[in-house]
Amino acid sequence: MSKLGHLDRMDAFEFAHYLCLTGVGLNPTLGWTNWFAPIHAVPNTYEFRQEPPAGIVLEVPMPLHAMGIFTSTGVREVVVRHLVKGKPTDVRVPLRPISRLEEEEISGLMSSSALSYLRNRGSDRILPSIGSSFTMRLGSVDIPFACGRWNDPPRPRRYDVRLNVDALLPSPSDIELAVLGCFARGSSAAALAALLTPAGWAHGMSDFQHAVENALLDQLGDKLVNVSVTAWSRCLEGAVPHFTAQLNGLQVPSVC
């Protein structure tokens, strides 16, 4: 069950036409969840909510840093409700200019395509009438030992990789042509070939996503809304290890 929480300091600023609320404080133990929530009945008013951990937790005070991202209405001040000495209290928080470090940190959390779209079209609150989504299966890679168990250590896991692209184009086929053009250039194809190997998979999907995303940005510009690379996986059934087969063939001694 969530409840109103307390913050020692709050800040508000805008990033790409979105309102960013931040707060710092202290959690009494490990395992707490902290977030900002809008109070819909009162415009430009938010509250700081917390949810305590369940079960056994370590009694170690932990610093908290919460951030909430909301649609900006252009106001220069917001109200945040939190607990002060056990009582709900409304605090007026003026919007300040975003710092260079904060802008770099938030930009680093976003994909290049989403960041480009926000900077070019973020102030436009009207949903575009033309837009499509396209999904393509890129291939699979088997990673040995990823599903290993005590009686089957090398059991592999298979990852199936998919590319998802959203763009302001009339149909998915238009996006498909752009994606195929990226792979025809060679750099995206080379990045995918490296990804679909056990060694390449260990480095994650970010290098491939950046390669194909940059190639699509060159072709589509601000028509590109978002690019994501996802994977779903399943364990593969392997042969029974030799030592297990031998154990299964032994006669179990009787217990008197």
Side-chain angles (χ1 to χ4, degrees):
M1 179 71 71
S2 68
K3 62 181 183 179
L4 206 61
H6 172 75
L7 289 169
D8 296 328
R9 191 180 77 248
M10 289 167 276
D11 275 315
F13 54 87
E14 282 192 346
F15 172 81
H17 309 285
Y18 281 85
L19 169 68
C20 302
L21 287 179
T22 66
V24 295
L26 194 69
N27 285 326
T29 67
L30 296 176
W32 283 71
T33 303
N34 312 284
W35 71 97
F36 289 99
I39 302 177
H40 296 291
V42 186
N44 305 312
T45 303
Y46 307 85
E47 58 184 6
F48 174 65
R49 307 293 301 180
Q50 292 184 306
E51 185 172 327
I56 300 174
V57 294
L58 294 177
E59 301 290 333
V60 180
M62 289 293 296
L64 71 90
H65 188 286
M67 174 177 281
I69 308 294
F70 308 95
T71 300
S72 176
T73 59
V75 298
R76 308 318 301 168
E77 184 181 74
V78 296
V79 175
V80 177
R81 181 172 298 167
H82 74 141
L83 284 181
V84 177
K85 296 181 180 179
K87 295 182 179 180
T89 303
D90 289 347
V91 179
R92 294 184 178 276
V93 183
L95 267 69
R96 58 165 176 80
I98 186 173
S99 70
R100 181 182 59 83
L101 181 60
E102 288 167 335
E103 189 166 10
E104 290 177 352
E105 287 179 345
I106 298 176
S107 297
L109 300 174
M110 303 174 64
S111 64
S112 299
S113 55
L115 186 61
S116 174
Y117 179 79
L118 271 183
R119 285 178 171 168
N120 286 282
R121 299 175 179 268
S123 60
D124 184 6
R125 298 301 178 194
I126 301 175
L127 292 177
S129 58
I130 297 176
S132 303
S133 298
F134 172 73
T135 300
M136 171 186 283
R137 183 179 181 274
L138 298 176
S140 61
V141 56
D142 295 342
I143 308 299
F145 300 100
C147 282
R149 294 182 286 188
W150 71 270
N151 63 341
D152 188 4
R155 188 184 185 194
R157 177 180 289 273
R158 174 166 294 172
Y159 290 89
D160 289 293
V161 185
R162 294 179 181 271
L163 174 67
N164 312 290
V165 182
D166 302 318
L168 302 181
L169 294 175
S171 69
S173 60
D174 296 316
I175 303 177
E176 182 180 11
L177 288 175
V179 171
L180 294 177
C182 290
F183 286 113
R185 293 185 178 185
S187 59
S188 299
L192 177 60
L195 175 67
L196 298 180
T197 64
W201 188 260
H203 296 295
M205 298 185 290
S206 60
D207 288 346
F208 167 72
Q209 176 161 334
H210 289 157
V212 71
E213 193 169 36
N214 290 334
L216 284 170
L217 277 171
D218 289 341
Q219 290 193 62
L220 302 178
D222 62 6
K223 290 184 178 179
L224 183 64
V225 177
N226 191 52
V227 177
S228 64
V229 181
T230 58
W232 63 276
S233 66
R234 66 184 187 277
C235 291
L236 301 180
E237 294 295 338
V240 179
H242 184 61
F243 75 90
T244 303
Q246 287 182 327
L247 288 175
N248 290 339
L250 294 178
Q251 185 175 5
V252 180
S254 58
V255 179
C256 299

